[in-house]
């Protein structure tokens, strides 16, 4: 006696494809990729599927939004060959990545709050003043404009900026080598000049480093700030970022529920 009567139901590729707006070729491709179990064949060589195949397709499509195509494919391949532990490992990795993304978002939010807190900072020497670790800049040539003195947004040199952040100039040079800060060079002296955007990036890197982030973890965050055009546009995007993380978390739950049901159906059919 057959354990699962639904396996006697025969479905055509179009029966699987139509409910999801897919082509029959897509269904065949999914089978060849191992996302669906191997189809039975008629005496004429035509594929025939069962409700279990339809459930496999439904499960894969539910896994896609949370895991992405490569991981969702890996999960389905694993469960279809009986390697459930491998599927669970892939699921764990997706959840770990989501957690890391949430931590990254929190780090950016905390850094932005710190940058906007207006906390007192060490008094800056006048721009161009000598600083340990960097030779003293030469006076500007006659008629050449000197970097203006004044607020944080004014161009500054490596020494004053290092003092402002309470770091060594060598640290700023290390951040520059990692692509996190991009000062321009004074055409007359060759010294680094930090404009408003470079000071912003240096302050953001400083806050994230204080939070324990590595330089390679900070790089994509600085890229986000640059792509957004500054801190204010990035602040406006943080709500959307958080919403997308929540949507992804819900999608992981939905995919897990579908996968659990599929695994239960597999077990009943054995």
């Amino acid at each position: 006696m057959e354990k699962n009567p639904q396996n006697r139901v025969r479905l055509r590729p179009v029966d699987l494809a139509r409910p999801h707006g897919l082509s029959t070729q897509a269904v065949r491709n999914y089978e060849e990729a191992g996302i669906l179990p191997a189809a039975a064949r008629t005496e004429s060589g035509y594929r025939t599927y069962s409700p279990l195949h339809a459930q496999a397709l439904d499960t894969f499509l539910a896994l896609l939004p949370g895991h992405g195509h490569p991981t969702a494919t890996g999960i389905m391949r694993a469960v279809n060959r009986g390697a459930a532990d491998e599927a669970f490992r892939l699921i764990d990795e997706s959840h770990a990545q989501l957690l890391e993304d949430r931590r990254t978002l929190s780090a950016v939010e905390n850094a932005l709050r710190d940058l906007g807190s207006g906390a007192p900072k060490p008094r800056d020497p006048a721009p161009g003043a000598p600083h340990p670790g960097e030779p003293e800049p030469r006076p500007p040539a006659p008629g050449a404009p000197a970097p203006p003195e004044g607020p944080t947004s004014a161009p500054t040199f490596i020494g004053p900026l290092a003092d402002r952040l309470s770091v060594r100039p060598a640290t700023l040079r290390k951040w520059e080598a990692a692509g996190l800060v991009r000062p321009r060079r004074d055409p007359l002296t060759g010294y680094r000049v930090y404009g408003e955007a470079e000071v912003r990036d240096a302050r953001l890197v400083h806050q994230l480093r204080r939070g324990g982030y590595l330089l390679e973890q900070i790089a994509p965050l600085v890229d986000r700030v640059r792509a957004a055009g500054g801190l204010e546009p990035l602040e406006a995007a943080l709500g959307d970022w958080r919403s997308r993380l929540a949507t992804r978390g819900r999608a992981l739950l939905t995919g897990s529920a579908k996968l659990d049901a599929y695994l239960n159906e597999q077990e009943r059919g054995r």
Side-chain angles (χ1 to χ4, degrees), residues 7 34 36 49 66 68 89-90 114 121 131 159 167 181 186 199 206 212 222 242:
N7 290 333
L36 307 182
Y49 297 105
R89 182 188 66 79
L90 293 171
D114 291 342
K121 302 176 181 65
H131 189 280
V167 301
V181 184
D186 185 286
V199 171
H206 183 234
V222 175
R242 184 173 293 280

Side-chain angles (χ1 to χ4, degrees), residues 63-82:
L63 290 168
L64 277 176
H67 295 276
H69 197 283
T71 300
T73 298
I75 292 169
M76 293 304 297
R77 283 175 173 168
V79 298
N80 286 332
R81 68 173 185 267

